[in-house]
Amino acid sequence: MLLAIDQGTTGTTCLVFDLDGDLTGRAYREFTQHFPRPGWVEHDAAEIWEVTQAVAGEALDDAGVVPGELAAVGITNQRETVCVWDPDTGEPLHRALVWQDRRTAERCDELRRAGHESLVRTRTGLVLDPYFSATKIEWLLRNVDGLAQRAGEGRAVFGTVDAWLVYRLCGEHVTDASNASRTLLYDIERGRWDPELCALFGVPERSLPEVRPSIGTFGTTRPEALHGHAVPVAGIAGDQQAALYGQACLDPGMGKNTYGTGSFVLLNSGARPPVAPPGLLATIAWEIGIPPTQRTVYALEAAIFVTGAAVQWLRDGLGVIGDAAETETLAASLDGNDGVYFVPALTGLGSPHWDPYARGTIVGLTRGSGVAHLARATLEAMAYQTLDAVRAMESAAGQALTELRADGGATANAWLMQFQADVLGVPVVLPEVAETTALGAASLAGVGAGVWSQDRVVSGWRERARYEPRMGDDERASLVADWRRAVERARGWAG
């Protein structure tokens, strides 16, 4: 059996897979969200560990796994969130600062004005934004009494959530390359913590975890930490990279979109770091440490801020629908969109525009417009935003997407999936196993432990549904042109 720990932003899911890839056990539990000030988001690292340990035990019990039957553990995690702890006692020294936390926005602006964006962009593939880890670590060092001295002396260490869990499971201070690549401190081409960036943010390199391949050995679980199991942690990746692996997008040009509150589009770009254009990110997808196939695989990433959240706004903000599923019927009730477009820039626009001053805009309304038009425009916007991201990625990578593998809650909406295929002009494919992030963690661990091969990951991926494009080129071009006119009206509104 393989245990996948999927440690997310609001809770932890643990799934158990057998060596045929079949799901045999599961468990889930939420944990507390802390909001000490507007824009600040924190988690209790000790609570994350307690919940994760409990849920792992429940999933193993659900699958009937006893010591000796578990082959390996894989971990996938909320990315960019920073934990800090005493390496001798394991005591957290402050609450974890969550990826959503915006307290360092002014510091990012300051660094940008000082001309540091180019260095960060070149070395890390990222942008100066409080979303990433480095300014969070810097804030902790500057604001927690005595922490800077402790970190300099090796009495305080930092890590993303994967590193915290491995420390509690195995006693090792390690992370994987995909998570390291989200910190603003890691040179993704040279594969190392970057001394110049560590100096820029004032982070002692000795306080950072050792970076290991995503597929390989991170340590052996202590039986008392994992309900009697002493097995290798053999695979780790950040949640979006794990989903790319779980979707078996192992070749360059293959991509996936996870449709959630927002959406994350990742495109496998192969063995060289891609040059990301403005609005896109370059990231390490995973690193393979198993001979003779050691290599680093890179990806382009687009972060779309509002997709499913726009449907929630129709339901909770406007009260025009009672359930998200109603949008499918409403959208299908119209023969076309009648020129109505909704640009859901409710928190600005993400990739590829990256415009924090854009605001939500609805255009094309007439007296004949109704709830069905709003519902259809909302679903269409999810597809158009994905299209914009994919086209930017194709241009940067110099290769066309052959199909889009989709996961996340909105894939239940058949109308949306068909429209997505229509505007992209390539098939949209849904997997049989919906929990692609956890499946990715299990697959990484299976390969890392030598019980699966990469070929097995590909052959084990099974298709549940496929949506072929049916729209003509002229209709597609007309719809997309009007969408882009609508986007221009939304951009820069609050600036």
Side-chain angles (χ1 to χ4, degrees):
M1 302 287 182
L2 296 165
L3 172 66
I5 297 173
D6 182 356
Q7 201 298 300
T9 306
T10 58
T12 299
T13 303
C14 286
L15 302 180
V16 178
F17 295 89
D18 65 22
L19 296 188
D20 292 324
D22 294 324
L23 182 61
T24 62
R26 71 165 69 228
Y28 171 77
R29 193 180 297 182
E30 293 186 349
F31 55 85
T32 309
Q33 308 292 305
H34 299 274
F35 308 100
R37 295 187 192 178
W40 292 25
V41 188
E42 298 178 351
H43 291 158
D44 182 340
E47 185 186 9
I48 287 178
W49 164 242
E50 290 163 5
V51 167
T52 299
Q53 184 184 40
V55 171
E58 292 164 11
L60 291 166
D61 288 345
D62 188 45
V65 180
V66 299
E69 293 181 342
L70 190 63
V73 175
I75 296 173
T76 183
N77 54 286
Q78 52 167 315
R79 302 179 301 174
E80 298 94 21
T81 296
V82 170
C83 301
V84 58
W85 66 95
D86 184 316
D88 295 324
T89 67
E91 177 189 358
L93 300 175
H94 192 276
R95 283 182 185 158
L97 304 193
V98 180
W99 60 271
Q100 299 161 318
D101 190 284
R102 305 297 294 179
R103 76 186 67 185
T104 62
E106 289 186 7
R107 174 59 174 154
C108 289
D109 290 341
E110 179 184 310
L111 289 163
R112 200 174 294 111
R113 288 192 299 268
H116 296 297
E117 181 92 75
S118 178
L119 171 66
V120 166
R121 191 90 170 120
T122 301
R123 300 279 172 86
T124 71
L126 308 177
V127 295
L128 277 168
D129 193 278
Y131 176 34
F132 303 108
S133 307
T135 56
K136 301 181 195 298
I137 299 175
E138 182 186 58
W139 187 93
L140 289 166
L141 288 165
R142 290 181 173 185
N143 289 276
V144 178
D145 286 345
L147 185 61
Q149 181 177 346
R150 292 186 63 152
E153 296 171 351
R155 296 186 296 113
V157 295
F158 298 95
T160 42
V161 173
D162 61 298
W164 168 242
L165 295 180
V166 172
Y167 172 82
R168 294 309 304 256
L169 284 166
C170 309
E172 301 273 358
H173 186 214
V174 295
T175 189
D176 95 291
S178 76
N179 278 292
S181 76
R182 309 298 294 186
T183 62
L184 292 181
L185 299 170
Y186 194 70
D187 186 325
I188 62 172
E189 183 168 8
R190 292 183 176 88
R192 65 178 190 184
W193 297 119
D194 186 89
E196 194 171 355
L197 292 173
C198 287
L200 175 64
F201 294 101
V203 179
E205 190 172 335
R206 68 179 299 179
S207 69
L208 298 173
E210 177 190 343
V211 182
R212 295 184 183 174
S214 315
I215 298 174
T217 301
F218 295 87
T220 300
T221 61
R222 297 174 295 187
E224 65 273 19
L226 193 63
H227 310 281
H229 299 274
V231 296
V233 175
I236 295 177
D239 54 9
Q240 299 307 321
Q241 290 98 325
L244 188 70
Y245 200 84
Q247 287 276 36
C249 295
L250 306 190
D251 294 323
M254 298 184 72
K256 69 89 189 174
N257 188 15
T258 299
Y259 296 83
T261 302
S263 291
F264 289 90
V265 186
L266 267 71
L267 181 73
N268 185 321
S269 58
R272 294 291 304 162
V275 178
L280 295 181
L281 307 174
T283 195
I284 291 177
W286 51 78
E287 187 176 312
I288 302 170
I290 305 299
T293 57
Q294 298 103 317
R295 65 184 181 277
T296 302
V297 176
Y298 295 88
L300 281 167
E301 177 171 330
I304 303 169
F305 297 155
V306 174
T307 50
V311 177
Q312 294 170 341
W313 179 69
L314 293 183
R315 183 192 66 198
D316 303 332
L318 298 185
V320 296
I321 60 172
D323 185 85
E326 294 176 27
T327 58
E328 182 172 355
T329 303
L330 288 166
S333 70
L334 301 174
D335 292 331
N337 67 12
D338 294 332
V340 177
Y341 289 83
F342 174 25
V343 182
L346 306 181
T347 57
L349 280 172
S351 300
H353 311 288
W354 217 272
D355 181 356
Y357 303 108
R359 290 296 179 265
T361 305
I362 301 172
V363 299
L365 295 175
T366 67
R367 282 291 300 273
S369 304
V371 172
H373 291 87
L374 285 179
R376 182 172 180 133
T378 301
L379 296 183
E380 286 192 358
M382 297 169 73
Y384 291 134
Q385 290 182 100
T386 302
L387 169 72
D388 288 347
V390 168
R391 291 292 179 261
M393 288 177 161
E394 290 176 326
S395 177
Q399 54 193 170
L401 185 75
T402 54
E403 67 178 25
L404 182 71
R405 296 189 172 181
D407 54 76
T411 59
N413 190 312
W415 188 93
L416 170 61
M417 293 296 99
Q418 182 59 55
F419 188 77
Q420 184 71 85
D422 287 341
V423 295
L424 277 174
V426 299
V428 172
V429 186
L430 275 56
E432 187 175 279
V433 178
E435 295 92 344
T436 54
T437 304
L439 177 60
S443 300
L444 290 162
V447 176
V451 296
W452 282 359
S453 66
Q454 293 237 104
D455 290 341
R456 164 66 185 77
V457 173
V458 174
S459 64
W461 185 91
R462 295 185 285 269
E463 178 182 308
R464 177 171 63 83
R466 173 179 289 262
Y467 296 86
E468 297 283 349
R470 301 188 301 219
M471 185 180 287
D473 292 344
D474 290 344
E475 181 182 0
R476 179 186 303 116
S478 176
L479 288 170
V480 172
D482 284 345
W483 159 255
R484 291 188 174 147
R485 289 174 59 212
V487 169
E488 286 308 308
R489 283 156 175 77
R491 295 198 63 178
W493 184 262

